[in-house]
């Protein structure tokens, strides 16, 4: 049975309101939650960016939902600290927490003052971080000298079973690479042929574990309002790598997104006032074999979306 979750976007919504929305989502019939982990939003209009790890403890305590986070260890976060955070949440909420690991974006990582590495270096750094995190979660004392450095680290509070470490990818090549080390794969909505190619690359390379998809969508009772919400909140997020990886400030994202056409936005956000159309899009993702689908309404008011999708969309998907 596919899990249908809600995505909590820290960049767009105050953390207290976001917590209320996740509690609401559980009551409305959503099965799970996930959240982002950034230092800055992608636009001044989004206007938030809370600390994900503080919020996750509150969300796990306030609900019975399994929760996950997408994190980038290696620059802003030392992998030993991320291992400790994962271990603590795993120990407190057994079987309910997972972490997806990726190579990050300069918008969040430049704050350390360290140079932003090339993508191949970031991949190598992440691979080192994964090994360090796994070893610490297994109870080993870890020392490491490489792209990251660790000196005699040991976790003293650990879960009986380490939480899953999921690979975050948006390209076929990265999906194939994640198969070397990940306990599952997570990506974002894209054209069906691209998603199918990513899944095939991951599985053909021996990738194990569940397949997860984050779906960006905009819904309102009126088509014009659905379009307005998407354009206001998400037009700064239409840029493919390496552009989105390498821009450093909110101002940079806002400047380059001043003239984004609506048709470009439709390529990254499912925009419609028609619930049947949203259901159809989600059915296509189900047919690809995704085990977990997290819905991200890109607006800043989640209540109506949670209620309507919980009542009108999720039940139809669950009868397939």
């Amino acid at each position: 049975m596919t899990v249908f979750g809600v995505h909590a976007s820290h960049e767009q919504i105050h953390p207290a309101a976001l917590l209320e929305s996740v509690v609401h989502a559980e009551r409305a019939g959503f099965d799970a939650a996930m959240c982002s982990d950034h230092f800055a939003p992608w636009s001044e209009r989004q206007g938030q960016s809370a600390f994900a790890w503080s919020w996750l403890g509150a969300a796990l305590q306030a609900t019975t939902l399994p929760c996950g986070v997408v994190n980038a260890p290696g620059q802003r976060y030392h992998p030993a600290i991320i291992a400790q955070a994962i271990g603590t949440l795993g120990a407190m909420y057994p079987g309910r927490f997972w972490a997806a690991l990726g190579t990050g974006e300069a918008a969040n990582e430049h704050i350390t003052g360290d140079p932003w590495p090339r993508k191949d270096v970031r991949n190598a750094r992440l691979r080192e971080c994964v090994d360090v995190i796994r070893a610490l979660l297994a109870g080993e004392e870890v020392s490491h000298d490489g792209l990251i450095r660790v000196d005699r680290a040991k976790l003293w509070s650990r879960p009986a079973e380490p939480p899953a470490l999921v690979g975050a990818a948006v390209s076929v090549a990265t999906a194939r690479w994640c198969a070397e080390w990940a306990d599952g794969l997570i990506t974002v909505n894209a054209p069906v042929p691209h998603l199918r190619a990513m899944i095939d690359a991951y599985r053909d390379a021996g990738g194990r574990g569940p397949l997860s998809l984050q779906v960006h969508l905009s819904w309102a009772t009126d088509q014009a309002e659905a379009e307005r919400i998407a354009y206001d909140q998400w037009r700064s997020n239409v840029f493919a790598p390496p552009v989105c990886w390498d821009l450093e400030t909110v101002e940079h994202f806002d400047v380059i997104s001043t003239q984004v056409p609506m048709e470009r936005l439709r390529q990254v956000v499912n925009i419609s006032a028609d619930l049947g159309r949203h259901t159809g899009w989600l059915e296509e993702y189900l047919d690809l074999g995704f085990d977990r689908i997290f819905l991200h309404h890109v607006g800043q008011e989640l209540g109506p979306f949670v209620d309507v999708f919980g009542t009108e969309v999720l039940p139809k998907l669950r009868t397939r």
Side-chain angles (χ1 to χ4, degrees), residues 92-223:
M92 293 180 69
Y93 306 101
R96 291 178 54 203
F97 178 70
W98 54 270
L101 304 178
T103 56
E105 298 177 346
N108 306 299
E109 311 306 322
H110 77 89
I111 62 166
T112 65
D114 295 327
W116 179 235
R118 300 186 312 272
K119 184 63 165 69
D120 61 318
V121 177
R122 301 200 304 273
N123 280 358
R125 182 173 68 182
L126 175 59
R127 191 68 181 82
E128 291 183 19
C129 288
V130 170
D131 289 344
V132 166
I133 292 169
R134 285 202 188 280
L136 288 169
L137 289 172
E140 299 175 22
E141 180 179 281
V142 176
S143 294
H144 179 84
D145 294 291
L147 292 169
I148 50 103
R149 295 171 60 86
V150 185
D151 179 43
R152 294 166 293 178
K154 181 180 174 69
L155 288 187
W156 294 93
S157 297
R158 297 182 293 111
E161 291 292 330
L165 301 183
V166 176
V170 294
S171 72
V172 172
T174 301
R176 185 179 298 111
W177 174 72
C178 286
E180 299 175 10
W181 58 266
D183 298 321
L185 183 73
I186 187 167
T187 188
V188 298
N189 59 293
V192 166
H194 179 74
L195 292 175
R196 184 179 293 113
M198 288 185 65
I199 292 170
D200 290 346
Y202 181 71
R203 293 303 193 202
D204 291 347
R208 63 186 184 275
L211 301 171
S212 301
L213 180 69
Q214 179 187 348
V215 178
H216 302 306
L217 65 94
S218 182
W219 171 84
T221 55
D222 175 76
Q223 181 66 25

Side-chain angles (χ1 to χ4, degrees), residues 15-27 33 54-67 89 92-93 96:
L18 204 56
L19 181 60
E20 292 176 1
S21 294
V22 170
V23 171
H24 182 185
E26 181 177 30
R27 293 172 179 162
S54 300
W55 184 89
L56 279 161
L60 285 159
Q61 182 65 26
T63 71
T64 63
L65 299 176
C67 294
L89 291 177
M92 293 180 69
Y93 306 101
R96 291 178 54 203

Side-chain angles (χ1 to χ4, degrees), residues 7 9 49 62 105-107 118 137 164 173 185 197 204 224 240 243 276 291-292:
H7 174 73
S9 180
S49 206
E105 298 177 346
R118 300 186 312 272
L137 289 172
L185 183 73
D204 291 347
V243 174
D291 304 290
R292 302 186 299 199

Side-chain angles (χ1 to χ4, degrees), residues 36-37 77 81 101 117 192 208 237 242 246 277:
S36 49
D37 181 8
Y77 290 118
I81 300 302
L101 304 178
V192 166
R208 63 186 184 275
N237 294 67
D246 294 340
R277 193 168 186 198

